[in-house]
Amino acid sequence: AGSATVAVQAEASPEEEKAYLEAFDLLKNGRYDDAILGFEHVLKNWPEGAYAANALYWSGESHYVKRDYQKALDNFLKLIEQFPDSTRTPDAMLKAGFAYEEQRKTAEARRMLQRLVNEHGDSSAANLARQRLELDRAKFQRTTCELFLKWYADHRAREIADSKGQPAVKIEDLRQLMFGPLAPEDSKPVPPSG
């Protein structure tokens, strides 16, 4: 959790501060729907106010806790775009990465976490992102090794691996053994990314 008054952009009016603190209290008490309404009230009335970045962040957190990952992501991305210099931005990037993961958008999650590391490398959020990225890489490596061992135990796979053919041909033969023939739409060349 965090402090209710971190990442204040400018001097808040007493009304804005009161509205924000009321919404934050609702969040702390687990009243997420009411907290979301409170943060939306702050954002509607003070869209560039002292607590706007915090209101976006905590509204996103409230949606995240409710497992409404798209709405959480919308809040985090809006914070990142509108308040790039906020002290909440690294945390919003981390949680956006997590929200992408929850939506099974792995590539977007990795891009967001890597962006966080690149742009805010000294932050505690970036340290958590590094850990997550390293775990993902280790998981991928373990899965690849497990698949290799499973299929190498197969007599035909071992024959292909041990053959003297070109590496690209051996890889394609192993791919077909493991996954079957390509569907027509999968056999089209993949354009280079960039």
Side-chain angles (χ1 to χ4, degrees):
S3 167
T5 56
V6 174
V8 175
Q9 302 296 314
E11 192 65 34
S13 70
E15 296 82 13
E16 179 190 3
E17 183 172 16
K18 181 178 184 289
Y20 171 77
L21 292 174
E22 286 174 358
F24 192 78
D25 283 340
L26 292 167
L27 171 92
K28 289 191 302 188
N29 290 317
R31 296 177 54 194
Y32 302 112
D33 290 325
D34 293 332
I36 290 166
L37 291 174
F39 292 128
E40 288 173 353
H41 171 76
V42 170
L43 292 165
K44 179 181 177 196
N45 290 291
W46 302 278
E48 300 294 322
Y51 289 98
N54 279 356
L56 281 167
Y57 180 80
W58 291 114
S59 180
E61 282 284 1
S62 297
H63 285 293
Y64 192 92
V65 168
K66 292 176 44 141
R67 298 175 189 250
D68 188 342
Y69 301 116
Q70 186 57 53
K71 286 184 180 174
L73 185 60
D74 292 344
N75 279 275
F76 297 136
L77 293 176
K78 189 173 184 180
L79 188 161
I80 293 163
E81 181 181 323
Q82 290 185 353
F83 302 99
D85 297 325
S86 169
T87 59
R88 281 283 175 224
T89 299
D91 296 323
M93 294 173 90
L94 181 68
K95 292 308 289 251
F98 291 173
Y100 278 130
E101 284 180 351
E102 293 292 349
Q103 295 177 321
R104 302 198 190 313
K105 295 178 179 177
T106 308
E108 290 92 336
R110 290 187 63 76
R111 275 193 294 275
M112 181 58 71
L113 295 175
Q114 190 60 58
R115 178 179 166 196
L116 167 57
V117 169
N118 294 345
E119 294 179 14
H120 303 280
D122 293 336
S123 68
S124 58
N127 289 333
L128 292 171
R130 275 188 208 89
Q131 291 172 11
R132 180 63 64 99
L133 289 166
E134 189 58 36
L135 283 175
D136 288 348
R137 193 170 94 205
K139 181 180 176 185
F140 170 78
Q141 291 170 347
R142 278 193 304 277
T143 302
T144 302
C145 290
E146 288 169 2
L147 284 172
F148 173 77
L149 290 174
K150 176 182 174 186
W151 292 105
Y152 192 74
D154 179 284
H155 176 70
R156 178 71 184 122
R158 200 166 352 144
E159 285 177 2
I160 293 169
D162 291 340
S163 72
K164 297 193 185 315
Q166 293 292 323
V169 173
K170 289 168 49 170
I171 289 169
E172 178 56 23
D173 288 346
L174 283 169
R175 190 206 56 73
Q176 284 186 29
L177 177 66
M178 293 171 69
F179 303 107
L182 288 173
E185 64 272 7
D186 293 331
S187 61
K188 297 174 187 158
V190 177
S193 61

